[in-house]
Amino acid sequence: MAQNHTIGGHGSHGGHGEHHGSLGEYVIGFILSIVLTVIPILAVVDDWFGKTATIAVLLITAALQFAVQLLFFMHLREEKGPRYNLVTLILGLIVVVVVVYGSIWIMDHNKMY
């Protein structure tokens, strides 16, 4: 039993051989998350840009924050074999974008309001 812990080493749990990231990856992910959180806060609070540019900064930093969470904390790039989780995520994002954009388009082109 004690051999499983020594064989697995740092970054894995026991004998199942799954890699869950290193301390360096977590620190980099944490720092990127902090930076990508502080930038939009300062852009809004200190009025760095105009309204349209501020919205663009918010959307871009949100997308980057999403990517950082997936890569550094959810370990999406370390999946072995078929990438079912990645394909499912991409399909889910496509559905969300279509529903949100379609809803905005319908509300914008509705003559009743």
Side-chain angles (χ1 to χ4, degrees), residues 5-28:
H5 294 291
T6 57
I7 291 173
H10 179 73
S12 66
H13 297 267
H16 56 84
E18 292 182 21
H19 179 69
H20 292 287
S22 66
L23 180 63
E25 290 175 338
Y26 287 120
V27 169
I28 290 171

Side-chain angles (χ1 to χ4, degrees), residues 97-113:
V97 167
V98 167
V99 168
V100 169
Y101 181 76
S103 299
I104 292 171
W105 186 84
I106 288 172
M107 288 187 289
D108 192 40
H109 289 83
N110 191 349
K111 301 290 184 195
M112 294 178 66
Y113 298 102

Side-chain angles (χ1 to χ4, degrees), residues 4 9 16 27 34 38 57-58 68 73 95 97 99 103 110-111:
N4 281 342
H16 56 84
V27 169
I34 296 294
V38 170
V57 167
L58 290 175
V68 165
F73 298 112
V95 169
V97 167
V99 168
S103 299
N110 191 349
K111 301 290 184 195

Side-chain angles (χ1 to χ4, degrees), residues 59-71:
L59 292 175
I60 291 169
T61 54
L64 290 174
Q65 181 77 261
F66 182 68
V68 165
Q69 297 299 318
L70 288 177
L71 295 176

Side-chain angles (χ1 to χ4, degrees), residues 71-90:
L71 295 176
F72 287 96
F73 298 112
M74 301 297 289
H75 308 289
L76 196 59
R77 64 180 177 217
E78 298 169 0
E79 184 178 354
K80 294 179 181 174
R83 297 183 178 258
Y84 296 121
N85 290 338
L86 180 62
V87 172
T88 304
L89 176 70
I90 290 170

